[in-house]
Amino acid sequence: MVRKRILCYGDSNTFGFDPVTGERYEPQIRWTGRLQQLLGEDYCVVEEGCNGRTAYFTDPEEEWKNGMYCLKPCLNSQKPLDAVIMMLGTNDLKTMFHASVKEVADGVGQLVDVIHSFMLEKQGFEPVIVLVSPPLIGSRIADSSFQGSFDSSAAVRSGEFSKYYRAIAQEKNCVFFDAAEFVGPSEADSLHLMPEAHRILAEQFAEIIRTCVKSE
């Protein structure tokens, strides 16, 4: 039996950053690990979350966190891939980038284009792309431990994620999922997810994957 391979490509909320301890959740808590449990042995869930990863903009002090830079190496090393769940964009709203959500969404669209074209070349078929509009940033972000990176406008701008990501998903033939409809950031830091939110995301993604990527 060939297991269906699902790549989860994202930032700290895919990595499993714990907003209370600052460490990483255990596999059975983070949504990627829970997703593997829910899907079972017919699927292989590949975790590729990186704290601080952006979709489009480049931090001059941490250039390697730009999501475009490591996308092709990751896709190539993890192929064959039947689906990619991509949840990026939150870190692009950092104060240093002065970015609009439309700019961020357009950057995400470039990542989608790379996944389509590169995987068609390397494995002969395009994976299903689940484009995730990220959870909102909490209104108290400017008073959180991340106040040096985000200002209060980031919370407001994050409310536009769904509008622009939905348009990109429709344009580029992706499955769209609005995470903000189901989960929100923790009270602890206004940015990262608590265990219950990870559970909810895993359940939603499991339903999508079972529908879009049939096991054999």
Side-chain angles (χ1 to χ4, degrees):
M1 179 185 68
V2 178
R3 301 175 74 193
K4 298 296 185 180
R5 292 175 60 81
I6 316 300
L7 174 68
C8 304
Y9 194 69
D11 54 28
S12 52
N13 275 325
T14 299
F15 173 83
F17 184 93
D18 184 338
V20 177
T21 67
E23 298 179 355
R24 189 182 194 185
Y25 286 128
E26 293 298 316
Q28 69 272 18
I29 295 178
R30 53 186 187 258
W31 69 260
T32 48
R34 288 176 179 265
L35 179 61
Q36 179 66 78
Q37 293 174 352
L38 290 170
L39 292 176
E41 62 182 13
D42 290 344
Y43 297 83
C44 176
V45 175
V46 181
E47 298 178 294
E48 185 48 58
C50 175
N51 294 335
R53 176 177 283 154
T54 61
Y56 180 73
F57 292 94
T58 302
D59 182 339
E61 295 185 359
E62 295 181 307
E63 296 180 357
W64 54 274
K65 288 187 176 181
N66 185 313
M68 183 65 82
Y69 291 0
C70 61
L71 180 58
K72 284 185 177 180
C74 179
L75 293 171
N76 197 53
S77 65
Q78 296 299 337
K79 69 178 189 285
L81 292 171
D82 299 282
V84 177
I85 301 174
M86 183 163 64
M87 184 166 68
L88 285 170
T90 300
N91 289 304
D92 297 75
L93 297 187
K94 287 181 177 179
T95 307
M96 72 168 77
F97 300 130
H98 306 288
S100 70
V101 174
K102 184 180 185 306
E103 290 175 310
V104 177
D106 287 343
V108 169
Q110 293 184 35
L111 296 178
V112 170
D113 290 341
V114 168
I115 295 171
H116 280 311
S117 61
F118 188 71
M119 296 313 283
L120 185 59
E121 173 191 350
K122 296 299 182 182
Q123 66 180 27
F125 64 93
E126 300 175 2
V128 173
I129 299 177
V130 182
L131 182 57
V132 182
S133 175
L136 301 182
I137 295 174
S139 60
R140 297 174 60 188
I141 189 67
D143 299 318
S144 75
S145 56
F146 294 96
Q147 60 181 304
S149 298
F150 296 89
D151 60 26
S152 58
S153 75
V156 177
R157 284 179 289 151
S158 71
E160 299 183 310
F161 272 139
S162 178
K163 170 186 175 182
Y164 289 106
Y165 279 49
R166 186 186 299 274
I168 293 294
Q170 291 175 343
E171 175 189 346
K172 299 182 182 296
N173 195 31
C174 302
V175 177
F176 175 73
F177 179 79
D178 184 2
E181 288 189 6
F182 298 89
V183 300
S186 68
E187 292 291 332
D189 69 3
S190 293
L191 198 63
H192 295 103
L193 304 176
M194 296 297 284
E196 177 66 5
H198 279 267
R199 181 190 66 78
I200 292 170
L201 284 185
E203 292 175 351
Q204 294 298 318
F205 290 143
E207 183 176 342
I208 291 172
I209 293 300
R210 290 193 191 103
T211 300
C212 298
V213 184
K214 301 292 186 181
S215 61
E216 298 177 353

